[in-house]
Amino acid sequence: YYLGMAYLNGLYKNIHWPQAIYYLEKASDKGIAKASYYLATAYYTGLGKGKNLNKAKIYYQKAIDSGEKFPPLNFEISEEALQ
């Protein structure tokens, strides 16, 4: 998780999206809710690998299933905007 966040925040000189996504996906697979939330946000906004609302929903659901509180992502507005 922390390595993914370091790449996400540019702590290794520049932001490196592929590495950030890679390490956040690994952390999410291990059940780290914050990693799932940051992945949901990245896929929701299109940062890194491009916009993917299906993946955003999966990772967001994974994050909130942990029981932690996260700000909501408004998928309804995004889906309408894509049409």
Side-chain angles (χ1 to χ4, degrees):
Y1 167 75
Y2 291 111
L3 191 53
M5 291 305 295
Y7 282 112
L8 180 70
N9 291 307
L11 296 179
Y12 294 109
K13 296 186 182 179
N14 296 315
I15 295 173
H16 195 268
W17 283 105
Q19 286 296 101
I21 298 295
Y22 172 80
Y23 285 112
L24 289 173
E25 285 176 343
K26 293 285 186 189
S28 175
D29 290 344
K30 293 183 185 269
I32 299 174
K34 286 183 181 178
S36 298
Y37 181 74
Y38 284 112
L39 283 167
T41 304
Y43 283 116
Y44 177 77
T45 58
L47 298 174
K49 289 189 170 183
K51 192 171 228 172
N52 185 328
L53 293 179
N54 289 330
K55 282 191 175 185
K57 287 179 182 181
I58 290 167
Y59 283 113
Y60 184 69
Q61 190 62 50
K62 207 172 174 183
I64 61 173
D65 284 348
S66 73
E68 289 190 44
K69 302 282 184 191
F70 292 100
L73 299 176
N74 195 341
F75 292 105
E76 291 78 24
I77 289 175
S78 293
E79 288 173 2
E80 288 173 11
L82 291 175
Q83 296 176 357

